[in-house]
């Protein structure tokens, strides 16, 4: 696997404010900010300004941020998942299979518009895992 385990924080429309706050507090740089409206993804107008993905970076520290899609819900205090970046399709498939066993598939493992194979599962202990194998 690449790098370290990365926390992924989810928000209900206030990810930009959270990014700015944590950037200032941690002295970190905001990188890769993309809204749902900027992405090549079918998005209702009310979601176009929401953050689809962004990252804070300072040295070896990395935290990812996103707003939820309209119609989903966030439980404050439990709005964190862990991201793994496997280095092969075989590795992501094995992780997906193992973590979803006796758990729940939240996003089916599939190819994405950002050039990755991605899946999201909640394991049998309730931990949410984001699996992202960047193909290119």
């Amino acid at each position: 696997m690449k790098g370290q385990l990365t926390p992924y924080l989810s928000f209900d429309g206030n990810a930009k404010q959270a990014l700015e706050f944590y950037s200032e507090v941690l002295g970190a740089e905001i990188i890769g900010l993309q809204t749902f409206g900027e992405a090549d993804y079918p998005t209702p107008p009310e979601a176009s300004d929401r953050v689809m993905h962004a990252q804070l970076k300072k040295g070896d520290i990395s935290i990812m941020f996103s707003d939820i899609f309209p119609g989903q819900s966030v439980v404050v205090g439990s709005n964190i998942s862990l991201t793994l970046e496997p280095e092969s399709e075989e590795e992501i498939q094995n992780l997906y299979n193992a973590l979803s066993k006796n758990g729940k598939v939240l996003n089916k493992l599939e190819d994405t518009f950002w050039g990755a194979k991605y899946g999201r599962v909640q394991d049998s202990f309730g931990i949410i895992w984001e699996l992202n194998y960047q193909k290119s």
Side-chain angles (χ1 to χ4, degrees):
M1 266 178 271
K2 296 180 190 175
Q4 63 186 19
L5 190 66
T6 305
Y8 206 115
L9 307 178
S10 298
F11 298 88
D12 191 5
N14 59 344
K16 283 181 186 173
Q17 294 90 337
L19 272 162
E20 291 167 6
F21 173 77
Y22 292 117
S23 174
E24 185 175 321
V25 168
L26 300 172
E29 179 184 3
I30 299 171
I31 58 174
L33 174 62
Q34 181 179 39
T35 65
F36 281 99
E38 295 167 336
D40 183 20
Y41 188 78
T43 302
E46 65 272 17
S48 64
D49 289 335
R50 287 181 171 232
V51 174
M52 181 174 201
H53 179 77
Q55 188 174 18
L56 273 186
K57 200 113 167 90
K58 181 176 182 180
D60 291 338
I61 296 171
S62 177
I63 305 171
M64 295 187 208
F65 291 72
S66 180
D67 280 313
I68 58 168
F69 207 68
Q72 296 178 331
S73 62
V74 166
V75 178
V76 175
S78 298
N79 51 333
I80 186 170
S81 59
L82 300 174
T83 302
L84 292 174
E85 296 191 65
E87 296 189 57
S88 69
E89 292 209 31
E90 179 182 5
E91 187 177 22
I92 195 171
Q93 188 67 58
N94 290 340
L95 286 165
Y96 179 83
N97 292 344
L99 290 168
S100 61
K101 185 178 181 182
N102 299 320
K104 182 164 76 171
V105 171
L106 303 174
N107 292 93
K108 187 176 81 172
L109 186 63
E110 60 188 359
D111 291 331
T112 66
F113 67 87
W114 64 85
K117 182 164 272 210
Y118 172 83
R120 191 166 70 106
V121 300
Q122 185 174 35
D123 69 19
S124 60
F125 297 100
I127 304 300
I128 296 174
W129 296 88
E130 313 244 358
L131 307 172
N132 189 74
Y133 165 59
Q134 195 64 42
K135 294 180 177 187
S136 51

